[in-house]
Amino acid sequence: MTSKGGEKIKTLLVKLPDGTEITRRRGRIDGWYVEVDGYGPFDKNYFSDLKALGHKYGNQKVYNDFVVIYDNTEFSVDNTVFSQLIPSIASTYSKEDNLQVLKLFSTLYAVLLAEQNRPLPLKKRVKLLACYQILILNYSVEIACNYSRTVNIHNIVKDVHQLVCTSKKNSNCIDEVKCIYKDKSTSYLLSKICDCYGF
């Protein structure tokens, strides 16, 4: 994704009604460096916007809307998420906030795609966990954004994966892991991981 002159080639993901362009290009690690109008979005910014939206419309509603997008995020881009699903969600907010919500959830979908394509165990779950912490557990945006850096949740995922492989889906073993990791954030994360294994 680099031109002969060394310039990074961008792939357009979506162009919003106000002209905002969400793109991706090759970054330092992979081909999923997301940009909004040429600038990389920061976790603290879009999660702050999500928190503000929760204050106005209710945390549970905003969380549920995020989960709908999360559930529709796979490894490749689904253009109908940009063109149909997100506009449909945005239409449930007031007219004055419609464009803001459209931008926010479109950015979040792009970020979820980026996480899903990263060579890390958590993939898109890392954003779901932060969203849950902010909107449901009332964590500060700063704490939620830094949680995966301060708590080695990647090791937790490896522990669960190893346990599943050795236990052949022994749910009692999963319960043992849940007893080790008792805080609400980790318990939530474990429940999402276990969902993937059919527990």
Side-chain angles (χ1 to χ4, degrees):
M1 297 176 70
T2 305
S3 67
K4 292 181 179 178
E7 181 183 352
K8 301 286 185 180
I9 297 175
K10 298 179 181 180
T11 300
L12 180 67
L13 297 176
V14 66
K15 186 170 184 176
L16 301 178
D18 68 339
T20 298
E21 292 187 348
I22 299 177
T23 57
R24 74 177 178 97
R25 64 171 175 81
R26 175 155 294 282
R28 183 173 54 87
I29 300 173
D30 54 32
W32 271 98
Y33 183 85
V34 172
E35 293 183 335
V36 179
D37 283 340
Y39 296 94
F42 290 103
D43 288 352
K44 63 180 182 180
N45 292 340
Y46 51 73
F47 279 129
S48 292
D49 291 343
L50 207 63
K51 190 176 183 73
L53 210 60
H55 283 316
K56 186 170 183 179
Y57 292 93
N59 287 344
Q60 192 65 56
K61 172 183 169 42
V62 176
Y63 173 75
N64 290 345
D65 289 341
F66 178 89
V67 170
V68 170
I69 295 168
Y70 171 90
D71 286 341
N72 281 274
T73 302
E74 302 295 341
F75 289 95
S76 58
V77 180
D78 181 350
N79 288 322
T80 63
V81 174
F82 281 125
S83 65
Q84 297 176 28
L85 180 61
I86 294 175
S88 176
I89 291 172
S91 70
T92 66
Y93 295 78
S94 70
K95 188 175 180 179
E96 66 179 5
D97 291 330
N98 187 270
L99 182 59
Q100 176 198 350
V101 174
L102 192 65
K103 283 184 183 180
L104 177 59
F105 282 128
S106 294
T107 299
L108 286 166
Y109 177 52
V111 169
L112 285 168
L113 282 164
E115 293 291 352
Q116 191 68 349
N117 282 278
R118 296 228 160 92
L120 295 171
L122 279 177
K123 298 194 178 296
K124 65 179 180 176
R125 298 184 197 96
V126 70
K127 300 304 184 194
L128 180 66
L129 177 61
C131 180
Y132 178 79
Q133 289 172 324
I134 292 165
L135 294 176
I136 305 302
L137 299 182
N138 204 30
Y139 279 34
S140 71
V141 171
E142 183 178 2
I143 289 175
C145 288
N146 289 310
Y147 185 82
S148 63
R149 298 183 184 95
T150 58
V151 177
N152 200 337
I153 47 183
H154 295 288
N155 280 350
I156 296 172
V157 178
K158 290 176 183 176
D159 288 347
V160 174
H161 179 71
Q162 183 177 8
L163 191 63
V164 170
C165 291
T166 56
S167 68
K168 296 181 180 179
K169 293 193 174 183
N170 185 335
S171 59
N172 291 330
C173 292
I174 292 296
D175 289 337
E176 289 176 14
V177 176
K178 288 181 178 179
C179 286
I180 297 170
Y181 303 112
K182 290 182 178 179
D183 68 280
K184 289 182 179 179
S185 293
T186 309
S187 295
Y188 176 78
L189 178 62
L190 282 170
S191 71
K192 293 302 176 185
I193 296 167
C194 292
D195 285 347
C196 296
Y197 292 107
F199 289 103

